[in-house]
Amino acid sequence: MMRHYKNGGTYPEFILKWVEEYGPVLVCHVMHKTMVFTVDQEAVKELLVNGNHPKSEFVYGRLSNLFGNRFVGKGLLTETDHAVWSERRSLYNAAFHRGYLMHLMPVFNTTSDVLVEKLKSVADTGNVISMASELSKATLDIIGKVAFDLDINSLRDLKQPFPKAMFTVLTGFDTKVKNLFSEYNPKFWAAGLEIGSAIKLLRQSAKDSLDHRTEMLRNDEPVPNDILTHMAKMADMMPALHKEKLIDDYVTFFLAGHDTTANLMSFFLIELGRHPDIADKLYAEIDDMVGKKESITYTELNQLEYLNMCLKETLRLYPPAAVTFRDTRDEIKICGYDIPKGTICAVSPFASARLEENFPDPLDFNPERFRPTAQFRPKIYGYFPFSIGPRTCIGQTFAQIEAKVVLVKLLQNFTFQLDSSQNFGLAESTTLKPRGGAMCSVILR
Ligand code: HEM
Protein backbone atom coordinates (compact mmCIF):
# COMPACT_ATOMS: atom_id res chain seq x y z
CA MET A 1 0.00 0.00 0.00
CA MET A 2 2.77 2.46 0.95
CA ARG A 3 4.53 1.63 -2.35
CA HIS A 4 1.35 2.44 -4.27
CA TYR A 5 1.06 5.70 -2.31
CA LYS A 6 4.71 6.65 -2.87
CA ASN A 7 4.31 6.06 -6.61
CA GLY A 8 1.67 8.78 -6.67
CA GLY A 9 -1.37 6.50 -6.39
CA THR A 10 -4.30 7.55 -4.24
CA TYR A 11 -5.97 5.71 -1.40
CA PRO A 12 -9.34 5.18 -3.14
CA GLU A 13 -7.63 3.92 -6.32
CA PHE A 14 -5.78 1.44 -4.16
CA ILE A 15 -9.05 0.20 -2.60
CA LEU A 16 -10.63 -0.16 -6.05
CA LYS A 17 -7.64 -2.07 -7.44
CA TRP A 18 -7.73 -4.50 -4.53
CA VAL A 19 -11.47 -5.16 -4.44
CA GLU A 20 -11.35 -5.81 -8.18
CA GLU A 21 -8.54 -8.27 -7.59
CA TYR A 22 -9.67 -9.95 -4.35
CA GLY A 23 -13.41 -9.40 -3.97
CA PRO A 24 -15.82 -7.17 -2.04
CA VAL A 25 -14.13 -7.44 1.34
CA LEU A 26 -10.48 -7.37 2.24
CA VAL A 27 -8.35 -6.86 5.28
CA CYS A 28 -5.19 -4.83 5.55
CA HIS A 29 -2.79 -4.19 8.44
CA VAL A 30 -1.54 -0.63 8.91
CA MET A 31 1.12 -0.57 11.63
CA HIS A 32 -0.60 -2.12 14.68
CA LYS A 33 -4.10 -1.56 13.27
CA THR A 34 -6.33 -3.87 11.28
CA MET A 35 -8.53 -2.28 8.64
CA VAL A 36 -11.32 -3.84 6.65
CA PHE A 37 -12.25 -2.39 3.25
CA THR A 38 -15.54 -3.25 1.68
CA VAL A 39 -17.76 -2.41 -1.28
CA ASP A 40 -20.41 -4.96 -0.35
CA GLN A 41 -23.84 -3.27 -0.49
CA GLU A 42 -25.15 -4.85 2.72
CA ALA A 43 -21.95 -3.93 4.55
CA VAL A 44 -22.12 -0.30 3.34
CA LYS A 45 -25.71 -0.18 4.60
CA GLU A 46 -24.75 -1.66 7.96
CA LEU A 47 -21.67 0.55 8.43
CA LEU A 48 -23.07 3.89 7.28
CA VAL A 49 -26.79 3.65 7.90
CA ASN A 50 -28.14 0.94 10.17
CA GLY A 51 -25.50 0.18 12.73
CA ASN A 52 -24.78 3.57 14.36
CA HIS A 53 -21.10 2.74 14.15
CA PRO A 54 -19.05 5.76 15.27
CA LYS A 55 -16.48 7.41 13.06
CA SER A 56 -13.06 5.90 13.54
CA GLU A 57 -11.09 7.50 16.39
CA PHE A 58 -7.79 6.32 14.85
CA VAL A 59 -8.53 8.19 11.60
CA TYR A 60 -10.56 11.25 12.64
CA GLY A 61 -8.65 11.75 15.88
CA ARG A 62 -5.54 12.28 13.74
CA LEU A 63 -7.28 15.07 11.84
CA SER A 64 -8.29 17.03 14.95
CA ASN A 65 -4.82 18.40 15.69
CA LEU A 66 -2.03 19.47 13.40
CA PHE A 67 1.57 19.67 14.57
CA GLY A 68 0.45 19.91 18.20
CA ASN A 69 -2.24 22.54 17.62
CA ARG A 70 -5.98 22.10 17.92
CA PHE A 71 -7.34 22.75 14.43
CA VAL A 72 -10.78 21.26 13.68
CA GLY A 73 -10.69 19.67 17.14
CA LYS A 74 -13.97 17.93 17.87
CA GLY A 75 -15.90 19.70 15.13
CA LEU A 76 -18.89 18.22 13.37
CA LEU A 77 -16.73 16.27 10.91
CA THR A 78 -14.29 14.75 13.41
CA GLU A 79 -16.48 14.22 16.51
CA THR A 80 -16.42 10.46 17.15
CA ASP A 81 -18.78 10.33 20.15
CA HIS A 82 -22.10 9.58 18.48
CA ALA A 83 -24.29 11.08 21.22
CA VAL A 84 -22.30 14.33 21.42
CA TRP A 85 -22.22 14.63 17.64
CA SER A 86 -25.93 13.90 17.26
CA GLU A 87 -26.96 16.71 19.60
CA ARG A 88 -24.83 19.30 17.79
CA ARG A 89 -25.79 18.09 14.33
CA SER A 90 -29.48 18.58 15.06
CA LEU A 91 -28.73 22.18 16.08
CA TYR A 92 -26.96 22.88 12.79
CA ASN A 93 -29.37 21.17 10.40
CA ALA A 94 -31.64 24.22 10.16
CA ALA A 95 -28.78 26.50 9.06
CA PHE A 96 -27.94 24.20 6.14
CA HIS A 97 -31.54 23.62 5.12
CA ARG A 98 -32.60 24.51 1.58
CA GLY A 99 -35.13 27.07 2.87
CA TYR A 100 -32.46 28.92 4.85
CA LEU A 101 -29.89 28.83 2.03
CA MET A 102 -32.35 30.04 -0.61
CA HIS A 103 -32.33 33.47 1.07
CA LEU A 104 -28.59 33.60 0.49
CA MET A 105 -28.90 33.28 -3.32
CA PRO A 106 -27.96 36.97 -3.90
CA VAL A 107 -24.70 36.43 -1.99
CA PHE A 108 -23.93 33.22 -3.92
CA ASN A 109 -24.43 35.27 -7.09
CA THR A 110 -22.34 38.31 -6.22
CA THR A 111 -19.43 36.32 -4.79
CA SER A 112 -19.33 34.12 -7.92
CA ASP A 113 -19.20 37.27 -10.08
CA VAL A 114 -15.74 38.04 -8.67
CA LEU A 115 -14.37 34.90 -10.35
CA VAL A 116 -16.04 35.82 -13.65
CA GLU A 117 -14.50 39.30 -13.53
CA LYS A 118 -11.07 37.86 -12.79
CA LEU A 119 -11.30 35.37 -15.67
CA LYS A 120 -12.34 38.14 -18.06
CA SER A 121 -8.94 39.69 -17.45
CA VAL A 122 -7.15 36.55 -18.69
CA ALA A 123 -9.65 35.48 -21.35
CA ASP A 124 -8.53 35.54 -24.97
CA THR A 125 -4.88 36.16 -23.99
CA GLY A 126 -3.86 32.59 -24.81
CA ASN A 127 -2.45 32.24 -21.27
CA VAL A 128 -2.99 28.88 -19.61
CA ILE A 129 -4.23 29.02 -16.03
CA SER A 130 -4.99 26.43 -13.37
CA MET A 131 -8.75 26.45 -12.97
CA ALA A 132 -8.33 24.17 -9.94
CA SER A 133 -6.39 26.91 -8.21
CA GLU A 134 -8.84 29.67 -9.20
CA LEU A 135 -11.81 27.60 -8.10
CA SER A 136 -10.16 26.79 -4.80
CA LYS A 137 -9.76 30.51 -4.11
CA ALA A 138 -13.29 31.23 -5.30
CA THR A 139 -14.87 28.62 -3.01
CA LEU A 140 -12.88 29.95 -0.05
CA ASP A 141 -14.20 33.45 -0.76
CA ILE A 142 -17.75 32.17 -1.30
CA ILE A 143 -18.00 30.16 1.90
CA GLY A 144 -16.46 33.08 3.81
CA LYS A 145 -19.00 35.57 2.52
CA VAL A 146 -22.11 33.38 2.29
CA ALA A 147 -21.73 31.60 5.61
CA PHE A 148 -19.87 34.16 7.74
CA ASP A 149 -20.16 37.56 5.99
CA LEU A 150 -16.38 37.62 5.79
CA ASP A 151 -14.53 39.30 2.91
CA ILE A 152 -11.61 36.94 2.36
CA ASN A 153 -10.71 38.21 -1.10
CA SER A 154 -8.30 35.40 -1.92
CA LEU A 155 -9.14 35.73 -5.62
CA ARG A 156 -7.86 39.28 -5.51
CA ASP A 157 -4.91 38.82 -3.14
CA LEU A 158 -3.77 35.45 -1.88
CA LYS A 159 -1.20 37.09 0.42
CA GLN A 160 -3.90 38.38 2.78
CA PRO A 161 -3.40 36.76 6.23
CA PHE A 162 -6.62 34.67 6.24
CA PRO A 163 -6.30 32.93 2.84
CA LYS A 164 -2.56 32.55 3.35
CA ALA A 165 -3.20 30.83 6.69
CA MET A 166 -5.92 28.59 5.22
CA PHE A 167 -3.70 27.37 2.39
CA THR A 168 -0.76 26.86 4.79
CA VAL A 169 -2.97 24.66 6.97
CA LEU A 170 -4.21 22.68 3.97
CA THR A 171 -0.60 22.00 3.02
CA GLY A 172 -0.04 20.88 6.62
CA PHE A 173 -2.92 18.43 6.34
CA ASP A 174 -1.43 17.09 3.15
CA THR A 175 1.95 16.60 4.83
CA LYS A 176 0.35 14.79 7.77
CA VAL A 177 -1.75 12.49 5.59
CA LYS A 178 1.14 11.56 3.30
CA ASN A 179 3.87 11.25 5.96
CA LEU A 180 2.52 9.26 8.89
CA PHE A 181 5.35 10.39 11.19
CA SER A 182 5.83 13.96 9.95
CA GLU A 183 4.93 15.50 13.30
CA TYR A 184 7.79 13.63 14.97
CA ASN A 185 10.28 14.24 12.19
CA PRO A 186 12.65 17.23 12.72
CA LYS A 187 12.62 17.78 8.94
CA PHE A 188 9.05 19.11 9.27
CA TRP A 189 9.40 21.13 12.48
CA ALA A 190 9.99 24.49 10.78
CA ALA A 191 6.88 23.93 8.65
CA GLY A 192 5.07 22.82 11.83
CA LEU A 193 5.77 26.20 13.46
CA GLU A 194 4.37 28.02 10.44
CA ILE A 195 1.31 25.77 10.45
CA GLY A 196 0.85 26.44 14.18
CA SER A 197 0.82 30.22 13.60
CA ALA A 198 -1.63 29.81 10.72
CA ILE A 199 -3.98 27.76 12.92
CA LYS A 200 -3.83 30.37 15.68
CA LEU A 201 -4.76 33.07 13.20
CA LEU A 202 -7.71 31.08 11.82
CA ARG A 203 -9.08 30.16 15.24
CA GLN A 204 -8.65 33.71 16.54
CA SER A 205 -10.49 35.07 13.52
CA ALA A 206 -13.29 32.54 14.14
CA LYS A 207 -13.54 33.68 17.76
CA ASP A 208 -13.58 37.36 16.76
CA SER A 209 -16.32 36.73 14.17
CA LEU A 210 -18.47 34.84 16.67
CA ASP A 211 -18.00 37.44 19.42
CA HIS A 212 -18.76 40.30 17.06
CA ARG A 213 -21.96 38.69 15.75
CA THR A 214 -23.10 37.83 19.29
CA GLU A 215 -22.57 41.46 20.28
CA MET A 216 -24.57 42.69 17.28
CA LEU A 217 -27.45 40.35 18.16
CA ARG A 218 -27.46 41.50 21.78
CA ASN A 219 -27.57 45.13 20.63
CA ASP A 220 -30.47 44.35 18.26
CA GLU A 221 -28.40 45.48 15.28
CA PRO A 222 -29.41 44.16 11.82
CA VAL A 223 -27.48 41.01 10.93
CA PRO A 224 -27.40 38.81 7.80
CA ASN A 225 -29.47 35.65 8.02
CA ASP A 226 -26.40 33.44 7.57
CA ILE A 227 -24.74 30.45 9.25
CA LEU A 228 -22.75 32.68 11.62
CA THR A 229 -25.96 34.25 12.96
CA HIS A 230 -27.31 30.75 13.54
CA MET A 231 -24.14 29.84 15.47
CA ALA A 232 -24.20 33.03 17.54
CA LYS A 233 -27.84 32.39 18.50
CA MET A 234 -26.96 28.82 19.45
CA ALA A 235 -24.13 30.08 21.67
CA ASP A 236 -26.44 32.55 23.40
CA MET A 237 -29.21 30.03 23.97
CA MET A 238 -26.90 27.28 25.21
CA PRO A 239 -24.19 28.65 27.50
CA ALA A 240 -23.02 25.08 28.14
CA LEU A 241 -21.92 24.80 24.52
CA HIS A 242 -18.22 25.42 24.87
CA LYS A 243 -16.81 28.30 22.76
CA GLU A 244 -13.89 26.11 21.65
CA LYS A 245 -16.36 23.63 20.11
CA LEU A 246 -18.08 26.40 18.18
CA ILE A 247 -14.67 27.48 16.90
CA ASP A 248 -14.01 23.84 15.93
CA ASP A 249 -17.21 23.90 13.88
CA TYR A 250 -16.42 27.26 12.32
CA VAL A 251 -13.07 26.06 10.97
CA THR A 252 -14.61 22.70 10.04
CA PHE A 253 -17.13 24.41 7.76
CA PHE A 254 -14.26 26.17 6.01
CA LEU A 255 -12.22 23.01 5.69
CA ALA A 256 -15.05 20.67 4.65
CA GLY A 257 -16.82 23.17 2.45
CA HIS A 258 -14.04 24.66 0.44
CA ASP A 259 -11.80 22.31 -1.56
CA THR A 260 -14.52 19.66 -1.92
CA THR A 261 -16.70 21.91 -4.06
CA ALA A 262 -13.69 23.39 -5.88
CA ASN A 263 -12.51 19.90 -6.84
CA LEU A 264 -15.95 18.90 -8.06
CA MET A 265 -16.00 21.91 -10.38
CA SER A 266 -12.42 21.31 -11.58
CA PHE A 267 -13.19 17.71 -12.54
CA PHE A 268 -16.38 18.93 -14.18
CA LEU A 269 -14.47 21.38 -16.43
CA ILE A 270 -11.94 18.68 -17.30
CA GLU A 271 -14.68 16.26 -18.37
CA LEU A 272 -16.37 18.99 -20.43
CA GLY A 273 -13.03 19.62 -22.13
CA ARG A 274 -12.76 15.94 -22.98
CA HIS A 275 -16.36 15.67 -24.23
CA PRO A 276 -17.24 18.54 -26.59
CA ASP A 277 -20.61 16.89 -27.44
CA ILE A 278 -21.63 17.00 -23.77
CA ALA A 279 -20.35 20.57 -23.45
CA ASP A 280 -22.47 21.63 -26.46
CA LYS A 281 -25.63 20.20 -24.86
CA LEU A 282 -24.87 21.97 -21.63
CA TYR A 283 -24.22 25.34 -23.29
CA ALA A 284 -27.51 24.94 -25.17
CA GLU A 285 -29.41 24.24 -21.93
CA ILE A 286 -27.92 27.24 -20.18
CA ASP A 287 -28.52 29.55 -23.16
CA ASP A 288 -32.16 28.36 -23.37
CA MET A 289 -33.04 28.43 -19.70
CA VAL A 290 -30.96 31.26 -18.26
CA GLY A 291 -29.48 33.17 -21.20
CA LYS A 292 -27.26 36.04 -20.09
CA LYS A 293 -29.23 36.73 -16.92
CA GLU A 294 -26.87 38.00 -14.22
CA SER A 295 -28.64 37.03 -11.04
CA ILE A 296 -29.70 33.40 -11.08
CA THR A 297 -32.59 32.27 -8.93
CA TYR A 298 -32.96 29.04 -7.02
CA THR A 299 -35.93 28.06 -9.22
CA GLU A 300 -33.83 28.52 -12.36
CA LEU A 301 -31.09 26.33 -10.93
CA ASN A 302 -33.61 23.56 -10.42
CA GLN A 303 -34.69 23.71 -14.04
CA LEU A 304 -31.20 22.90 -15.31
CA GLU A 305 -31.68 19.16 -15.63
CA TYR A 306 -28.66 18.41 -17.83
CA LEU A 307 -26.33 20.42 -15.58
CA ASN A 308 -27.60 18.37 -12.66
CA MET A 309 -26.96 15.11 -14.55
CA CYS A 310 -23.41 16.21 -15.43
CA LEU A 311 -22.70 17.12 -11.81
CA LYS A 312 -23.98 13.75 -10.59
CA GLU A 313 -21.81 11.94 -13.11
CA THR A 314 -18.77 14.00 -12.08
CA LEU A 315 -19.40 13.13 -8.44
CA ARG A 316 -19.69 9.46 -9.38
CA LEU A 317 -16.27 9.30 -11.01
CA TYR A 318 -14.58 11.84 -8.75
CA PRO A 319 -16.17 12.04 -5.28
CA PRO A 320 -13.91 14.59 -3.52
CA ALA A 321 -14.37 12.89 -0.12
CA ALA A 322 -13.55 9.46 -1.44
CA VAL A 323 -13.26 7.24 1.67
CA THR A 324 -14.94 7.19 5.07
CA PHE A 325 -14.06 5.16 8.16
CA ARG A 326 -16.04 3.66 11.04
CA ASP A 327 -15.11 1.68 14.18
CA THR A 328 -17.50 -1.24 14.53
CA ARG A 329 -19.69 -0.75 17.60
CA ASP A 330 -20.41 -4.48 17.94
CA GLU A 331 -19.26 -7.63 16.22
CA ILE A 332 -20.75 -7.69 12.71
CA LYS A 333 -20.70 -9.99 9.68
CA ILE A 334 -19.46 -8.82 6.30
CA CYS A 335 -19.88 -11.30 3.43
CA GLY A 336 -19.97 -14.12 5.98
CA TYR A 337 -16.79 -13.02 7.79
CA ASP A 338 -16.96 -12.17 11.50
CA ILE A 339 -15.63 -8.66 12.08
CA PRO A 340 -14.82 -8.04 15.75
CA LYS A 341 -16.08 -5.04 17.71
CA GLY A 342 -13.74 -2.03 17.40
CA THR A 343 -12.39 -2.88 13.91
CA ILE A 344 -11.72 0.04 11.57
CA CYS A 345 -13.87 -0.39 8.46
CA ALA A 346 -13.46 1.74 5.33
CA VAL A 347 -16.00 2.25 2.56
CA SER A 348 -15.40 4.31 -0.53
CA PRO A 349 -17.92 6.08 -2.78
CA PHE A 350 -15.09 6.20 -5.34
CA ALA A 351 -14.49 2.45 -5.42
CA SER A 352 -18.18 1.51 -5.22
CA ALA A 353 -19.20 3.77 -8.09
CA ARG A 354 -16.41 2.51 -10.36
CA LEU A 355 -17.50 -1.13 -10.21
CA GLU A 356 -19.02 -2.65 -13.33
CA GLU A 357 -21.71 -4.35 -11.22
CA ASN A 358 -22.94 -0.93 -10.02
CA PHE A 359 -22.45 1.13 -13.19
CA PRO A 360 -22.03 -0.50 -16.61
CA ASP A 361 -18.93 0.82 -18.45
CA PRO A 362 -17.97 2.54 -15.22
CA LEU A 363 -15.03 4.53 -16.58
CA ASP A 364 -17.12 6.25 -19.28
CA PHE A 365 -18.25 9.76 -18.42
CA ASN A 366 -21.93 9.44 -19.32
CA PRO A 367 -24.38 11.89 -17.70
CA GLU A 368 -27.29 10.01 -19.36
CA ARG A 369 -27.12 7.48 -16.51
CA PHE A 370 -28.71 10.15 -14.34
CA ARG A 371 -31.46 11.29 -16.70
CA PRO A 372 -34.63 11.19 -14.55
CA THR A 373 -36.45 9.20 -17.26
CA ALA A 374 -33.62 6.64 -17.69
CA GLN A 375 -34.47 3.03 -16.97
CA PHE A 376 -31.20 2.57 -15.13
CA ARG A 377 -31.36 3.46 -11.43
CA PRO A 378 -28.14 3.65 -9.37
CA LYS A 379 -28.06 1.29 -6.40
CA ILE A 380 -28.46 3.21 -3.15
CA TYR A 381 -25.36 1.68 -1.59
CA GLY A 382 -23.34 1.90 -4.80
CA TYR A 383 -23.53 5.68 -5.22
CA PHE A 384 -23.04 7.95 -2.19
CA PRO A 385 -20.70 10.89 -2.95
CA PHE A 386 -22.10 12.90 -0.03
CA SER A 387 -22.06 9.78 2.15
CA ILE A 388 -25.29 8.29 3.40
CA GLY A 389 -26.96 7.71 6.77
CA PRO A 390 -26.75 9.95 9.81
CA ARG A 391 -23.21 11.27 9.05
CA THR A 392 -24.14 12.37 5.58
CA CYS A 393 -22.73 15.72 4.38
CA ILE A 394 -24.51 18.62 6.05
CA GLY A 395 -23.29 20.95 3.30
CA GLN A 396 -24.76 19.00 0.38
CA THR A 397 -27.35 21.61 -0.57
CA PHE A 398 -24.86 24.42 0.01
CA ALA A 399 -22.37 22.70 -2.31
CA GLN A 400 -24.96 22.05 -5.00
CA ILE A 401 -26.20 25.64 -5.04
CA GLU A 402 -22.65 26.95 -5.04
CA ALA A 403 -21.40 24.66 -7.82
CA LYS A 404 -24.42 25.36 -10.00
CA VAL A 405 -24.26 29.15 -9.60
CA VAL A 406 -20.51 29.26 -10.30
CA LEU A 407 -20.68 26.87 -13.27
CA VAL A 408 -23.67 28.58 -14.87
CA LYS A 409 -21.87 31.90 -14.64
CA LEU A 410 -18.66 30.42 -16.07
CA LEU A 411 -20.49 28.76 -18.96
CA GLN A 412 -22.56 31.89 -19.70
CA ASN A 413 -19.34 33.80 -20.22
CA PHE A 414 -16.57 31.47 -21.34
CA THR A 415 -15.48 28.33 -23.09
CA PHE A 416 -12.55 26.42 -21.61
CA GLN A 417 -9.85 24.85 -23.75
CA LEU A 418 -7.94 22.12 -21.93
CA ASP A 419 -4.21 22.55 -22.30
CA SER A 420 -2.37 19.70 -24.04
CA SER A 421 -0.19 19.36 -20.91
CA GLN A 422 -3.21 18.45 -18.77
CA ASN A 423 -2.57 15.32 -16.70
CA PHE A 424 -5.76 13.29 -16.22
CA GLY A 425 -4.54 11.43 -13.15
CA LEU A 426 -5.80 11.87 -9.63
CA ALA A 427 -4.10 13.44 -6.65
CA GLU A 428 -5.07 13.29 -3.03
CA SER A 429 -4.48 15.47 -0.02
CA THR A 430 -7.46 15.66 2.29
CA THR A 431 -9.67 15.45 -0.78
CA LEU A 432 -9.46 13.90 -4.24
CA LYS A 433 -8.33 16.44 -6.82
CA PRO A 434 -7.16 16.55 -10.45
CA ARG A 435 -3.44 15.88 -10.57
CA GLY A 436 -2.87 18.31 -13.40
CA GLY A 437 -4.75 21.24 -11.85
CA ALA A 438 -7.32 21.65 -14.69
CA MET A 439 -5.01 23.68 -16.92
CA CYS A 440 -7.09 25.69 -19.39
CA SER A 441 -7.06 28.68 -21.62
CA VAL A 442 -10.18 30.75 -21.26
CA ILE A 443 -12.08 32.09 -24.23
CA LEU A 444 -14.86 34.69 -24.05
CA ARG A 445 -18.13 33.53 -25.56
C1 HEM B 1 -19.02 18.70 -3.59
C2 HEM B 1 -18.91 19.09 -2.36
C3 HEM B 1 -18.94 18.20 -1.16
C4 HEM B 1 -18.81 16.84 -1.08
C5 HEM B 1 -18.63 15.83 -2.20
C6 HEM B 1 -18.91 16.49 0.32
C7 HEM B 1 -18.86 15.20 0.81
C8 HEM B 1 -18.94 14.88 2.14
C9 HEM B 1 -18.84 13.54 2.66
C10 HEM B 1 -18.63 12.29 1.83
C11 HEM B 1 -18.95 13.63 4.00
C12 HEM B 1 -18.81 12.48 5.00
C13 HEM B 1 -17.36 12.47 5.42
C14 HEM B 1 -16.99 11.31 6.27
O1 HEM B 1 -17.79 10.43 6.53
O2 HEM B 1 -15.83 11.28 6.69
C15 HEM B 1 -19.13 15.01 4.35
C16 HEM B 1 -19.29 15.49 5.63
C17 HEM B 1 -19.40 16.83 5.94
N1 HEM B 1 -19.44 17.88 5.06
FE1 HEM B 1 -19.38 17.77 3.05
N2 HEM B 1 -19.07 17.64 1.05
C18 HEM B 1 -19.11 18.70 0.19
C19 HEM B 1 -19.30 20.03 0.50
C20 HEM B 1 -19.51 20.51 1.77
C21 HEM B 1 -19.79 21.89 2.10
C22 HEM B 1 -19.96 23.01 1.08
C23 HEM B 1 -19.84 21.98 3.47
C24 HEM B 1 -20.10 23.17 4.34
C25 HEM B 1 -20.52 24.32 3.94
C26 HEM B 1 -19.62 20.65 3.98
C27 HEM B 1 -19.59 20.32 5.31
C28 HEM B 1 -19.51 19.04 5.79
C29 HEM B 1 -19.53 18.72 7.20
C30 HEM B 1 -19.60 19.71 8.36
C31 HEM B 1 -19.48 17.33 7.30
C32 HEM B 1 -19.55 16.49 8.57
C33 HEM B 1 -21.02 16.18 8.79
C34 HEM B 1 -21.32 15.35 10.02
O3 HEM B 1 -20.61 14.38 10.29
O4 HEM B 1 -22.31 15.69 10.67
N3 HEM B 1 -19.44 19.79 2.92
N4 HEM B 1 -19.12 15.76 3.19
Side-chain angles (χ1 to χ4, degrees), residues 48 55 60 75-79 85 89 93 96 143 147 227 249 252-265 315 318-326 349 384-388 390-400 402-403:
L48 298 190
K55 280 193 159 179
Y60 295 91
L76 212 52
L77 182 73
T78 42
E79 178 59 76
W85 162 82
R89 169 83 187 222
N93 278 338
F96 286 90
I143 192 157
I227 289 166
D249 289 331
T252 294
F253 295 144
F254 265 108
L255 182 82
H258 149 219
D259 255 1
T260 42
T261 319
N263 298 344
L264 161 64
M265 293 191 279
L315 281 168
Y318 311 105
V323 190
T324 183
F325 301 85
R326 299 290 183 271
F384 46 97
F386 289 100
S387 193
I388 194 165
R391 303 277 325 228
T392 185
C393 176
I394 199 170
Q396 176 166 355
T397 308
F398 189 110
Q400 283 164 337
E402 178 180 16

Side-chain angles (χ1 to χ4, degrees), residues 96 104 107-108 111 136-152 162 166 226-228 249-261 395 398-399 402:
F96 286 90
L104 295 167
V107 199
F108 277 110
T111 42
S136 175
K137 289 180 244 171
T139 51
L140 186 63
D141 290 354
I142 292 172
I143 192 157
K145 190 68 188 171
V146 174
F148 305 109
D149 196 28
L150 211 62
D151 289 306
I152 295 176
F162 191 98
M166 185 51 86
D226 57 12
I227 289 166
L228 182 60
D249 289 331
Y250 186 106
V251 286
T252 294
F253 295 144
F254 265 108
L255 182 82
H258 149 219
D259 255 1
T260 42
T261 319
F398 189 110
E402 178 180 16

Side-chain angles (χ1 to χ4, degrees), residues 292-304:
K292 290 283 176 196
K293 204 161 169 273
E294 281 182 11
S295 191
I296 302 149
T297 63
Y298 185 77
T299 314
E300 282 160 348
L301 288 188
N302 278 341
Q303 289 162 351
L304 298 169

